Amino acid sequence: MEPVPQEDAEKLFHRALTAFSAGEYQAALAQLERALKLEDNPLLHSYLGLCIAKERGQVKKGRELCQASLDLEPDNPVHYLNLARVYQVAGDKPQALDVLRKGMAAGGSEEILALLATLGTRKPPPLRFLSRDHLLNKWLGIALSRFGLR
């Protein structure tokens, strides 16, 4: 019997990215977990956090993994992108936008720009002479949105 060649962490990571880009988060999660057994890498932790949030719904754990990767490599825009996607899974759009803006300040990427465009910008307040946080602007904005006038 010939010995089975041990899998390379880099190959597993590339397979995980392929599965991830195809929307197969369960397969990507399995590949990332196998790769982490072979090599400890902040990029692996970042993608693992995103996959855990998307596939298992463990947003808190996913956020912690992405934030830890970001703390280790603050100049890597991929960590900002993955953390923003975790916030997006959690439904926290303002936090996701904040992280994406920080990612653009740290160097940015085309993917961050695309996600920023997808999340969009806020509409101007209905009464521009009042602050956005003013109670009248909030309620008027909600009412106009419900009637389809905004």
Side-chain angles (χ1 to χ4, degrees), residues 18-65:
T18 303
F20 181 83
S21 63
E24 300 170 1
Y25 302 113
Q26 184 67 33
L29 186 61
Q31 297 292 330
L32 288 169
E33 287 174 339
R34 288 172 57 198
L36 272 170
K37 289 178 183 177
L38 301 173
E39 178 183 323
D40 191 23
N41 183 339
L43 196 57
L44 292 173
H45 284 281
S46 181
Y47 276 103
L48 180 68
L50 178 56
C51 285
I52 285 174
K54 280 188 172 282
E55 186 61 34
R56 296 182 183 160
Q58 297 175 347
V59 176
K60 184 178 178 184
K61 185 175 181 182
R63 187 182 69 235
E64 290 170 357
L65 285 168

Side-chain angles (χ1 to χ4, degrees), residues 54 80-104 110-123:
K54 280 188 172 282
Y80 291 97
L81 180 66
N82 288 341
L83 182 58
R85 286 176 176 165
V86 169
Y87 281 122
Q88 192 179 11
V89 168
D92 193 351
K93 181 179 174 181
Q95 192 67 33
L97 285 170
D98 184 49
V99 170
L100 288 172
R101 289 185 189 111
K102 288 178 183 175
M104 286 304 294
E110 292 297 320
E111 291 174 315
I112 290 177
L113 281 174
L115 189 55
L116 273 170
T118 301
L119 291 177
T121 57
R122 295 171 77 179
K123 296 176 184 171

